[in-house]
Amino acid sequence: MKKFTGLLLALCVNGFAVQTALAQDEGTALVPLPSLDDFTKGKDGWAFALGGGIEYESAYEGSDEFGFEVDPAGAIQWRKGDNIFYFAGEALGWRGRRDDVWLFEATLGFDEGREEADSDDGRLDGLGDSEEGTEFVLQARRAFNSDWRYWLDGRVVTGDNGSLGIFGVGRRFGEQMDGTGSELALVAVFHDSDRANQDFGITAAQSAASGLNQTNMSSGLRSFGLHYNYRQYLNENWLLFVEGLYERYSSDVSDSPITRNDYEAELGIGVIYIF
């Protein structure tokens, strides 16, 4: 975690900073949090953004293998007042601000599942590919005041592969109101038995095929984590983003034969062009 923090802070204060005046000219975001993409620059109507990034991350949940992955970034958004409708990759959603201190969001997305091939070392051999499925996300954030310096967050993710509950508290750094700056959040993640067994359980058939002990997971605490987000305009159209994640698994998850590491981590950096 020290390496993550050191690199992220170095990027923030040394490599990519631009004048605050440029950022302020970009307009007011629906909610001034770097973790929430808003490409509308404070204007009603359509907004288009396209880019990409490179992530260094765990190969799968519980893996001790790490690798680089190139991912697309950006979204199509339509804003009307305090509401934004968006399509981003495999997610279709809406978010709206209410009374300046509440944010509500609903998203329909897609869970890709896990494949045996995700492990180059063959540690998933015999477990088969987990099922793909749709998932629905409901989120509510409550700021302590209208500048969104501190906030509370609650999310429910439910779908074909089970459900997650995510609860967090966060702090925004910087004075910009355009969604740039940095943000740090502490989160706790809970899963039901369906989701726990989807990711970390081993059935009798999988045990026979893989040689791993049969494991039945129950619902409960999944992990505690730290999430970091950084956004900065490089000029009028180009936006830099940096994201970091560290999650420490609970003892029940760590005891699963699938879990080779008792944590999950990723670090990503990329750019987005706003049309």
Side-chain angles (χ1 to χ4, degrees):
M1 187 58 192
K2 292 181 179 178
K3 292 182 179 179
F4 280 120
T5 305
L7 177 56
L8 290 169
L9 290 177
L11 288 172
C12 292
V13 302
N14 294 324
F16 302 98
V18 299
Q19 290 100 349
T20 301
L22 174 61
Q24 295 288 5
D25 289 343
E26 296 301 326
T28 302
L30 182 71
V31 176
L33 296 180
S35 57
L36 298 171
D37 287 328
D38 184 349
F39 306 122
T40 65
K41 298 184 179 181
K43 301 176 183 178
D44 283 357
W46 291 99
F48 302 89
L50 182 64
I54 299 176
E55 292 184 349
Y56 184 71
E57 61 183 355
S58 306
Y60 57 90
E61 293 178 323
S63 173
D64 60 354
E65 303 170 58
F66 288 81
F68 289 95
E69 183 174 345
V70 177
D71 291 318
I76 300 172
Q77 299 178 340
W78 184 79
R79 181 169 179 172
K80 179 66 174 178
D82 293 335
N83 300 279
I84 290 180
F85 299 86
Y86 60 87
F87 175 71
E90 298 174 338
L92 180 67
W94 157 86
R95 67 172 63 109
R97 188 186 71 238
R98 299 294 182 267
D99 297 328
D100 290 330
V101 294
W102 282 100
L103 176 76
F104 298 100
E105 186 165 10
T107 308
L108 181 65
F110 182 72
D111 179 14
E112 295 181 351
R114 186 189 65 211
E115 299 179 356
E116 281 191 9
D118 289 341
S119 173
D120 292 334
D121 295 339
R123 289 170 177 164
L124 297 176
D125 291 353
L127 298 181
D129 298 341
S130 61
E131 295 183 1
E132 301 175 344
T134 57
E135 58 184 20
F136 187 60
V137 183
L138 289 174
Q139 177 180 194
R141 292 197 188 192
R142 173 64 160 86
F144 288 85
N145 48 51
S146 60
D147 67 0
W148 286 81
R149 181 66 59 202
Y150 296 93
W151 49 264
L152 299 173
D153 177 63
R155 273 174 285 170
V156 175
V157 182
T158 187
D160 299 329
N161 297 325
S163 301
L164 294 170
I166 305 170
F167 305 93
V169 58
R171 189 192 192 287
R172 179 177 72 90
F173 302 90
E175 301 299 326
Q176 303 98 314
M177 298 300 288
D178 61 353
T180 62
S182 59
E183 178 186 353
L184 185 66
L186 174 65
V187 300
V189 183
F190 298 84
H191 52 197
D192 66 4
S193 58
D194 289 339
R195 187 59 179 258
N197 282 294
Q198 167 82 9
D199 295 333
F200 302 106
I202 300 174
T203 66
Q206 289 174 325
S207 177
S210 67
L212 300 175
N213 292 332
Q214 183 176 348
T215 303
N216 185 52
M217 303 289 295
S218 58
S219 60
L221 177 66
R222 182 186 183 96
S223 64
F224 284 106
L226 284 172
H227 294 187
Y228 179 87
N229 285 274
Y230 174 74
R231 300 286 188 274
Q232 185 63 62
Y233 282 103
L234 301 176
N235 56 37
E236 184 178 355
N237 298 102
W238 285 101
L239 179 68
L240 169 81
F241 67 88
V242 178
E243 298 176 350
L245 163 70
Y246 177 87
E247 287 195 64
R248 185 81 175 189
Y249 292 130
S250 67
S251 57
D252 287 345
V253 172
S254 296
D255 289 341
S256 167
I258 293 176
T259 308
R260 312 287 301 196
N261 256 344
D262 56 6
Y263 68 90
E264 178 182 355
E266 68 179 57
L267 177 65
I269 183 172
V271 291
I272 297 173
Y273 185 85
I274 303 173
F275 294 88

